[in-house]
């Protein structure tokens, strides 16, 4: 080893010891001819001191050092004088009086300094990721990610799970998102696909008798990217045989508890809360509510039908819904102009308007208050548990629009009004998802999760009569308003699987071509089985309280799916394409 | 949970307990109206018994069961009578007297039975991998693989290594093998490449200050496949900063020791032996000798020049070498016809002939013995440490042919003569590899490992004068004749890196296009660093003593890179290709 100690470990107890440190020059200063350098590595910083009396050459060399140079120093660990103690760093009570210096590598002047307070734009940082990754922020993220993986593996290993690798070069089974394809050189005109998840393979493993499987698996989706999506992402993937829904929920409860204990040192009371999909849709308007605060939606459709406000009356009489929420104590926090802003905001979710009332001692105050009798006003106040000083909002529209608009409004108000502790970590399960949703454009049923989901035992007979009412044994773990895990009990009966395909309009030959090998496997003794996958990147992000998923991945891609560091994707040699029996087919620029 | 116990855990101590088991029907037999079933899961087998007196319906149902059906039984754990004990299975002292039976899923008659002694061809098994994976053999392999990964992670985690994920969608840097390419939808005409290794990314991590990195990483090489190669494979990948070669060797010594202890329960004495490349080439003829036995090569070129055997004389006088080996005690084990077979065998390695001598009390016995004086015969006997009953072989050719032919012959003789214990696990390092080899076809120097390898400190100045003599800080771990790990100290100086590119004839713009981001990173404070990668699949294979790498991978590909289970690779929709701006370009069949 070139060093005997890291830059984070020396304390007063080591005073007098001769230590060899290696690291990066983090800062450089000259006090009356003495050179002080903060030497940095991933473990911390240590002040190293070059006194002129040690030797002229040597001291002179220390004067040529610049930030981000890599050096090795040998010296004596020395207790600092009381006035010189730096309480901000853990090694702040000592320094190294250097007796030998070796410059291991010089650095050009970096385009930005990892320790700088003001950072340049993300693009420059991604291009120089080797510098960006030196930032404490990113180092913490990498360490936390490592720790979460460790906790996860320990947890499953202790429960007799087997970590089993599934292929990256698989078969394209167009389901949901677009596949990334890989042309084959050995089979001209054929392609592999990178996995969107190990779904089918893990089901095969259950059929093969590996009753407890897990994997921290890379997955790929060629989607248009949002801020919190990456073309390649990592999931904690698991599957069990001879279990039902509750076993998986309990298992993941234990994992979350171990993570929260291990990372945040907090105890979580288990089981985590379970809500039905219908319940959260009704109370919060979406299936991944942030449960760190209340502000539940309240329906006043019946009242709306009776009042004199035309908009409410019309909606109520045409089968729509009128729902609202109470922004406690916010009456004076939102001006009329702010509320116009909120109206535009809910407009993005399809709401044609946003009714509001300020609550005062007398009743409701609003341009439309006059359309509501004193009785109706009191009913509204009572329904929304309102007090003077509260601000009430209502959306009247078809049901799905009230849900979407109010869920978004709730999320925004919760944040703006600081209704929760950003460090809190609130997990809950949403269960009993609908099995199908009706695809209005194509006039058919689509699977809500995927077509391998087991219907609830009570609902199997509704598969034919009323598919829209069939609930699935499907469950999502939500954390602070994010879907963080998703899973289901799988169909193990070839007969039910066929029924589902029929319903989804997946013809036999299509099913055979796409999932034939799973269907075949199901015929040879498939045990009941269930599983779940947790989004690792998102978990790390949530534990760190970051909002940018690129901050928790060592080498992320941009929203245009580029790796700015390596320049991928890039053009390749013509010969490579010939070998793969493909040509590019790019339309000419107009 | 559907079950209270697995099929592997019940013992006499549980007699009297009511247990619920789930599993697969492994065998079915009727003894005088009583149905006996061996129920199987991955933990073992348990005998479950259906007595007619428990209920007619119920007993009748048990008669309809067939192998590979999945059932759940509830019954009483019962100690077997002395005569009924089955010592072959761990649960052999008990059985379950069944009181309830549920058929969880029927199985069609499988194309082969996982428990059968005689298995069908590998193709049928790969196609029905879900059945094949039920075989004990493959289950053991998956469990061992899991365990090796666990030992590996524990080892590195305890040493403060960080597990960091590197991208799968990277940039094509044609180096060695062919890349698998992935067309980009967002950047028409551009491609990602799947990584042949995380090499460049792990070096970037070192430059970024993550001084101890590891990852169990999937890698891809689109090569023509040999029996022990797969298009996607897994390596234990690691890198350290502020270290030199010996630190990496010591680190891996510790890992191997932990694995051998954990898997085989054996203590290994450390450090593992280190041999120079020159030494093993001289002693064994190749750089990955099987060290479980001796049989070193011996040179007799000087004697060949003096003898009367024309072939030897000519080779000796024209700069060739005459080398041989001693197959101890094998004089009577190889007939003349056998030796003709060996001659043909070494012919595959370029040897134009194979001289042999049987050793007897008088001297050497061979058709060519007459060309060797008694003195020469005694010299040969002494040089090869021969005794009566030994069989000596010689190849006279240019040096590289003697090496290749005799290394192959040594491997074959060692196996045929059973010179080693197949369960032994013999690890050693080969160090001081040549930095370059001369590409005779293209009249240029190629990198022996890769172009980021640091030359030995003593040899840097030979880079210009005699590249062929430059040794690299490169090292391979060999186990039982297989290269099992390979690594090097990397160049951290941009200047030396440039010198190497110059020597390899990699022009500046080419280097910039291919490795530009690494070269750029090296300019901003790269620490000295080194690393290694171990082939996980091969390690598992070696620990199991298997010879087929497909037996240690859950879902392997064939030698034609096909996944027979899923049918990958396959044709895809025209729309998918259009979205990716490519077309297939398959020449018409002739």
């Amino acid at each position: 080893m070139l060093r005997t100690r890291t830059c984070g470990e020396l304390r007063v107890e080591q005073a007098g010891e001769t230590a060899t440190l290696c690291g990066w020059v983090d800062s450089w200063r000259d006090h009356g001819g003495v050179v002080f350098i903060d030497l940095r590595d991933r473990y911390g910083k240590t002040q190293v001191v070059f006194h002129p009396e040690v030797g002229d050459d040597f001291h002179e060399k220390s004067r040529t050092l610049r930030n981000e140079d890599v050096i090795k120093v040998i010296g004596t660990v020395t207790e600092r004088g009381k006035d010189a103690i730096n309480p901000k760093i853990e090694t702040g009570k000592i320094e190294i009086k250097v007796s030998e210096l070796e410059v291991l590598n010089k650095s050009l002047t970096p385009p930005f300094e990892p320790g700088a307070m003001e950072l340049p734009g993300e693009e420059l940082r991604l291009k120089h990721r080797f510098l960006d990754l030196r930032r404490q922020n990113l180092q913490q993220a990498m360490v936390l990610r490592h720790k979460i993986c460790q906790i996860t593996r320990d947890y499953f290993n202790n429960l007799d799970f087997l970590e089993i690798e599934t292929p990256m070069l698989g078969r394209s089974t167009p389901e949901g998102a677009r596949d990334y394809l890989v042309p084959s050189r050995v089979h001209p005109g054929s392609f592999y696909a990178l996995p969107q998840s190990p779904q089918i393979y893990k089901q095969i493993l259950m059929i093969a008798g590996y009753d407890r499987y897990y994997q921290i698996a890379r997955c790929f989706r060629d989607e248009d990217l949002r801020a919190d999506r990456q073309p390649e992402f990592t999931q904690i993937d698991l599957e069990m045989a001879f279990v039902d829904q509750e076993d998986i929920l309990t298992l993941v409860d234990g994992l979350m508890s171990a993570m929260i204990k291990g990372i945040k040192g907090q105890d979580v009371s288990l089981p985590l809360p379970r809500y039905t999909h219908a319940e959260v849709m009704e109370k919060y308007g979406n299936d991944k509510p942030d449960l760190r605060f209340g502000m539940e939606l309240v329906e006043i459709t019946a009242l709306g039908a009776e009042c004199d406000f035309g908009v409410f009356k019309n909606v109520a009489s045409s089968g729509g819904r009128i729902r609202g929420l109470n922004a406690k104590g916010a009456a004076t926090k939102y001006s009329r102009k702010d509320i116009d802003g909120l109206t535009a905001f809910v407009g993005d979710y399809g709401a044609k308007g946003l009714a509001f009332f300020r609550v005062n001692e007398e009743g409701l105050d609003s341009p439309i208050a006059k359309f509501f009798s004193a009785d109706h006003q009191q009913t509204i106040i009572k329904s929304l548990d309102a007090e003077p000083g509260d601000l009430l909002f209502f959306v009247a529209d078809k049901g799905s629009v009230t849900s979407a608009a109010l869920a978004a409004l709730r999320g925004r108000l919760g944040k703006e009004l600081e209704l929760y502790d950003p460090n809190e970590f609130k997990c809950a399960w949403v269960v009993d998802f609908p099995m199908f949703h009706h695809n209005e454009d194509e006039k058919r049923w689509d699977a809500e999760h995927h077509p391998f989901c087991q219907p609830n035992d009570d609902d199997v007979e509704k598969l034919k009569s009323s598919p829209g009412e069939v609930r699935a044994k499907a469950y999502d773990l939500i954390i602070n308003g994010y879907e963080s895990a998703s899973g289901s009990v799988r169909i193990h009966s070839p007969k039910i699987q066929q029924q589902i395909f029929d319903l989804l309009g997946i013809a036999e030959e299509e099913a055979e071509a796409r999932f034939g090998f799973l269907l075949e496997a199901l015929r040879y003794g498939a045990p009941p089985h269930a599983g779940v996958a947790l989004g690792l990147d998102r978990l790390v992000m949530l534990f760190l309280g970051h909002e940018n998923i690129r901050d928790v991945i060592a080498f992320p891609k941009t929203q245009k799916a580029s790796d700015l560091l390596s320049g991928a994707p890039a053009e390749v040699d013509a010969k490579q394409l010939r070998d793969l029996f493909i040509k590019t087919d790019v339309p000419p620029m107009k």
Side-chain angles (χ1 to χ4, degrees), chain A:
Chain A
M1 302 278 176
L2 295 187
R3 62 187 173 194
T4 60
R5 296 286 192 171
T6 70
C7 296
E9 70 178 305
L10 289 169
R11 301 285 183 277
V12 174
E13 290 68 41
Q14 280 86 40
E17 171 183 322
T18 299
T20 307
L21 299 187
C22 292
W24 286 260
V25 174
D26 195 63
S27 67
W28 184 101
R29 60 202 177 279
D30 181 328
H31 279 305
V34 181
V35 171
F36 293 83
I37 282 175
D38 276 350
L39 195 63
R40 186 194 72 229
D41 63 18
R42 78 160 155 114
Y43 309 93
K45 290 179 196 171
T46 301
Q47 176 164 289
V48 301
V49 189
F50 300 82
H51 287 278
E53 60 267 27
V54 180
D56 269 358
D57 281 11
F58 164 80
H59 180 254
E60 209 43 54
K61 198 157 62 168
S62 78
R63 303 185 68 87
T64 69
L65 293 175
R66 291 297 171 266
N67 283 3
E68 304 309 317
D69 285 347
V70 187
I71 62 172
K72 169 178 154 180
V73 296
I74 304 177
T76 311
V77 182
T78 311
E79 187 165 0
R80 297 198 203 181
K82 271 204 177 146
D83 299 345
I85 286 175
N86 179 355
K88 288 187 200 152
I89 59 174
E90 298 202 72
T91 63
K93 288 186 177 166
I94 59 96
E95 61 189 13
I96 306 278
K97 286 207 191 317
V98 180
S99 54
E100 277 183 48
L101 164 67
E102 185 182 345
V103 179
L104 296 171
N105 220 345
K106 292 291 292 177
S107 170
L108 297 183
T109 305
F112 62 94
E113 300 214 346
M117 296 295 287
E118 292 241 349
L119 287 167
E122 194 179 9
E123 201 170 311
L124 190 73
R125 286 188 283 119
L126 287 173
K127 194 163 157 48
H128 298 86
R129 191 66 167 176
F130 49 91
L131 293 174
D132 205 26
L133 281 166
R134 288 180 193 167
R135 288 195 296 129
Q136 215 182 1
N137 225 348
L138 286 186
Q139 287 194 356
Q140 281 168 349
M142 294 306 121
V143 171
L144 186 85
R145 189 179 177 112
H146 167 82
K147 210 167 164 187
I148 287 179
C149 289
Q150 235 181 298
I151 291 171
T152 301
R153 291 206 172 90
D154 287 347
Y155 181 75
F156 289 119
N157 292 344
N158 285 335
L159 291 173
D160 241 345
F161 277 71
L162 290 176
E163 188 181 0
I164 300 179
E165 292 179 72
T166 53
M168 293 282 115
L169 294 171
R171 175 167 186 154
S172 183
T173 54
E175 191 58 27
R178 286 186 205 90
D179 281 327
Y180 279 103
L181 297 181
V182 183
S184 162
R185 182 179 55 81
V186 183
H187 304 272
S190 289
F191 294 80
Y192 303 97
L194 300 179
Q196 296 190 21
S197 84
Q199 183 63 34
I200 293 185
Y201 285 104
K202 69 176 173 176
Q203 293 196 238
I204 298 273
L205 284 172
M206 293 305 109
I207 297 170
Y210 295 76
D211 56 356
R212 294 175 164 224
Y213 143 91
Y214 84 99
Q215 188 184 190
I216 298 186
R218 199 73 61 86
C219 305
F220 303 84
R221 283 183 202 172
D222 189 7
E223 287 181 298
D224 298 308
L225 303 169
R226 298 198 310 255
D228 63 345
R229 285 277 172 85
Q230 284 278 309
E232 50 179 310
F233 58 97
T234 305
Q235 68 188 33
I236 300 169
D237 192 53
L238 65 100
E239 194 83 8
M240 295 176 86
F242 305 118
V243 296
D244 209 336
Q245 172 168 313
E246 190 55 31
D247 301 302
I248 300 289
L249 269 46
T250 304
L251 178 80
V252 176
D253 279 0
L255 175 63
M256 290 314 302
S257 158
M259 276 189 200
I260 293 170
K261 184 78 186 170
I263 304 294
K264 299 174 88 79
Q266 294 167 5
D267 290 305
V268 183
S269 85
L270 297 183
L272 295 173
R274 283 102 159 105
Y275 300 98
T276 67
H277 181 267
E279 199 176 349
V280 292
M281 288 305 289
E282 202 51 34
K283 276 192 184 165
Y284 306 102
N286 74 5
D287 57 9
K288 43 186 184 219
D290 191 331
L291 296 172
R292 287 174 296 180
F293 63 103
M295 204 188 271
E296 295 180 7
L297 312 194
V298 175
E299 174 152 23
I300 58 157
T301 309
L303 180 149
E306 291 171 12
C307 74
D308 298 324
F309 184 47
V311 175
F312 279 19
K313 278 180 91 80
N314 289 342
V315 166
S317 64
S318 60
R321 301 180 73 186
I322 304 159
R323 292 156 89 196
L325 53 75
N326 180 356
K328 291 295 290 179
T332 58
K333 290 185 183 156
Y334 285 86
S335 68
R336 185 60 202 262
K337 208 178 142 197
D338 294 335
I339 293 175
D340 288 345
L342 297 178
T343 306
F345 174 74
V346 296
D348 292 344
Y349 297 86
K352 288 180 284 293
L354 180 66
F356 70 91
F357 302 94
R358 291 194 172 81
V359 184
N360 58 30
E361 296 295 344
E362 288 77 42
L364 300 178
D365 174 27
S366 162
I368 58 166
K370 58 189 172 203
F371 300 116
F372 297 83
S373 68
D375 265 11
H376 282 157
Q377 294 197 6
Q378 287 308 320
T379 306
I380 289 176
I381 286 172
K382 211 169 153 189
S383 304
L384 280 86
D385 207 6
E387 299 164 301
D390 291 354
L391 178 57
L392 313 181
F393 292 105
F394 292 92
V395 172
D397 217 306
K398 56 179 181 173
S400 59
V401 172
T402 62
S403 291
L406 288 169
L409 181 63
R410 177 179 175 274
R412 177 163 167 177
L413 293 174
K415 193 169 186 178
E416 288 181 356
L417 296 170
E418 297 179 354
L419 297 184
Y420 53 86
D421 171 2
N423 285 317
E424 207 191 341
F425 212 75
K426 196 86 173 205
C427 312
W429 288 100
V430 177
V431 300
D432 284 348
F433 273 75
M435 182 93 179
F436 309 102
H437 65 260
H438 200 251
N439 184 327
E440 301 293 340
D441 294 340
E442 306 192 14
K443 303 283 174 224
R444 59 180 171 88
W445 293 100
D446 283 344
E448 183 75 29
H449 269 64
H450 54 61
F452 314 120
C453 229
Q454 175 76 26
N456 269 12
D457 301 338
D458 300 339
D459 297 350
V460 173
E461 53 193 35
K462 290 185 189 159
L463 278 175
K464 283 196 174 145
S465 55
S466 38
E469 288 173 28
V470 177
R471 292 160 301 171
K473 290 191 180 179
Y475 30 83
D476 278 4
L477 178 71
I478 52 173
I479 304 177
N480 297 357
Y482 286 93
E483 177 199 317
S484 303
S486 187
S488 62
V489 177
R490 327 298 184 184
I491 298 168
H492 66 278
S493 144
K495 206 179 109 203
I496 294 187
Q497 187 66 74
Q498 192 53 56
Q499 260 185 292
I500 304 290
F501 283 148
D502 290 348
L503 190 74
L504 294 172
I506 300 176
E508 197 173 326
E509 51 277 28
E510 190 191 349
E512 203 55 46
R514 280 162 62 179
F515 320 110
F517 65 112
L518 176 60
L519 301 183
E520 175 77 355
L522 286 172
R523 296 180 191 116
Y524 291 97
H529 59 291
V532 70
L534 295 87
L536 176 66
D537 309 297
R538 191 169 281 173
L539 272 178
V540 180
M541 200 176 93
L542 286 167
F543 270 109
L544 282 167
H546 284 190
E547 300 215 329
N548 182 345
I549 204 145
R550 293 182 292 279
D551 284 349
V552 302
I553 297 172
F555 301 103
K557 299 209 168 44
T558 64
Q559 279 178 266
K560 289 198 152 180
S562 297
D563 178 348
L564 297 183
L565 174 72
S566 73
E571 288 185 15
V572 296
D573 293 349
K575 181 177 182 312
Q576 289 180 277
L577 299 185
R578 274 200 309 278
D579 280 351
L580 298 172
F581 303 98
I582 58 169
K583 313 195 235 216
T584 57
D585 181 26
V586 183
M589 297 282 282
K590 276 175 194 158

